[in-house]
Amino acid sequence: MQGDSQTKAPRARQCRELVILSGKGGTGKTSVTGGFSHLAEDAVLCDCDVDAANLGLLLHPQATETHPFYASKKAHIDSQKCSNCEKCREVCRFEAIMPVTDNPANQTSQAVQAGRTDHVNRLLCEGCGFCFHVCPEQAVTMEEALSGHWYVSDTEHGPLVHARLEPGEGNSGKLVSAVRLKARDIQKAQGKAMVITDGPPGTGCPVIACISGADLALIVTEPTLSGISDLERIVEVCHHFRVPALICINKYDIDLDNTETIKRRAGQMNCPVAGQIPYDHMVPKAMVDGVPATAYDCPAGTGIRALWDTMSTRLLSDD
């Protein structure tokens, strides 16, 4: 039959998303994600740490798509309409509107000819629009500003969706949502088993945008007082959004007393410890070499492999 001779489209599979989080930066979240990316055989990879994306340092992505991202507005002063009343500069709490003479590089012949004394520093402008509302000459307009770019890339371990904000830009929660949506679209189109997402640290807007609707979260923590405190905060966020969460204790052997404290708190918070990874000097060596720690036969690599077995089984148990 004609249908038998045609290439069949990949079977649509239910999207399973594993999000790797940490209550604070520097706990080893991306190292664990890189190891999972190396071990997974049927996954779409996603880097939602758009403020400081670094999963690509381990996966060496080759971009196949580049898309601009606009999510903010900046003030612009029309020099032909400006009457130099300086009301905009008086109300700007961010000091983004300054005399042109303070920065000769920003002077334009048009501004000088019009006698305009103010210009907008786009790095300082927060897009609040106060200057727009107080300008008696209607010389101020709010223009869309480039906030960053997001990319679809090929890697040795599967497709990667990632992004990067422009310096000083905010709205990273919107960019996180755009990256996640594209990763899920690729998962459905290619029939991959899951999406593995390297989430942002902390508990703010980017984290909320990252975990909403996820199937499972892995929280990477470390046995320090700050690590314990931030672990409790991110567990509360996961519980609030009803996302099941497990805990990984990274470098567990640097303070065994704090490791035991984490285990006790995990039981009290109904958030089980799924695995623990020892301190291993091969991890920084792997970073220098630009490969995941699981590429080496080392204690940390063994710990990540055991953790992956637990997480993948849990994630796909009811697929």
Side-chain angles (χ1 to χ4, degrees), residues 99-206:
V100 173
T101 53
D102 284 358
N103 190 350
N106 284 283
Q107 294 189 41
T108 64
S109 58
Q110 187 181 34
V112 173
Q113 290 171 6
R116 198 194 75 186
T117 59
D118 298 300
H119 82 281
V120 178
N121 186 325
R122 295 173 72 86
L123 290 177
L124 295 179
C125 178
E126 291 290 328
C128 68
F130 202 171
C131 55
F132 167 79
H133 290 286
V134 303
C135 180
E137 308 296 340
Q138 296 183 337
V140 181
T141 55
M142 303 303 295
E143 299 181 343
E144 279 195 332
L146 180 67
S147 299
H149 292 83
W150 60 272
Y151 312 89
V152 178
S153 298
D154 289 333
T155 76
E156 181 181 351
H157 309 295
L160 170 67
V161 186
H162 52 120
R164 188 175 298 276
L165 283 173
E166 291 293 310
E169 288 296 326
N171 298 302
S172 55
K174 295 180 181 179
L175 185 52
V176 166
S177 297
V179 169
R180 285 187 69 206
L181 180 61
K182 183 61 177 180
R184 284 175 170 256
D185 287 344
I186 294 175
Q187 181 271 333
K188 293 176 182 177
Q190 298 187 9
K192 298 288 187 179
M194 68 183 75
V195 175
I196 300 175
T197 299
D198 185 12
T203 58
C205 175

Side-chain angles (χ1 to χ4, degrees), residues 1-16:
M1 296 177 63
Q2 183 179 0
D4 295 333
S5 62
Q6 295 178 342
T7 302
K8 294 183 179 180
R11 179 176 63 92
R13 303 177 69 174
Q14 182 179 0
C15 184
R16 296 292 182 182

Side-chain angles (χ1 to χ4, degrees), residues 117-318:
T117 59
D118 298 300
H119 82 281
V120 178
N121 186 325
R122 295 173 72 86
L123 290 177
L124 295 179
C125 178
E126 291 290 328
C128 68
F130 202 171
C131 55
F132 167 79
H133 290 286
V134 303
C135 180
E137 308 296 340
Q138 296 183 337
V140 181
T141 55
M142 303 303 295
E143 299 181 343
E144 279 195 332
L146 180 67
S147 299
H149 292 83
W150 60 272
Y151 312 89
V152 178
S153 298
D154 289 333
T155 76
E156 181 181 351
H157 309 295
L160 170 67
V161 186
H162 52 120
R164 188 175 298 276
L165 283 173
E166 291 293 310
E169 288 296 326
N171 298 302
S172 55
K174 295 180 181 179
L175 185 52
V176 166
S177 297
V179 169
R180 285 187 69 206
L181 180 61
K182 183 61 177 180
R184 284 175 170 256
D185 287 344
I186 294 175
Q187 181 271 333
K188 293 176 182 177
Q190 298 187 9
K192 298 288 187 179
M194 68 183 75
V195 175
I196 300 175
T197 299
D198 185 12
T203 58
C205 175
V207 174
I208 293 172
C210 187
I211 67 173
S212 301
D215 296 284
L216 183 63
L218 175 66
I219 303 172
V220 181
T221 188
E222 60 184 10
T224 63
L225 294 180
S226 61
I228 295 171
S229 174
D230 291 321
L231 168 66
E232 294 173 347
R233 294 168 60 228
I234 188 61
V235 168
E236 289 180 1
V237 174
C238 290
H239 285 171
H240 177 80
F241 286 96
R242 299 181 180 179
V243 176
L246 302 176
I247 296 172
C248 165
I249 308 175
N250 192 26
K251 297 174 284 188
Y252 77 92
D253 49 348
I254 64 174
D255 192 322
L256 295 178
D257 290 338
N258 280 336
T259 293
E260 291 303 315
T261 299
I262 291 174
K263 291 180 178 179
R264 287 195 300 272
R265 289 294 296 127
Q268 295 167 359
M269 296 185 295
N270 192 27
C271 190
V273 174
Q276 51 190 35
I277 303 169
Y279 174 81
D280 189 347
H281 69 278
M282 289 298 292
V283 174
K285 182 182 185 306
M287 294 179 183
V288 172
D289 294 341
V291 297
T294 49
Y296 298 122
D297 183 11
C298 61
T302 300
I304 295 174
R305 290 187 188 94
L307 180 63
W308 169 246
D309 289 341
T310 299
M311 300 305 299
S312 59
T313 300
R314 171 70 180 269
L315 188 67
L316 301 176
S317 60
D318 58 345

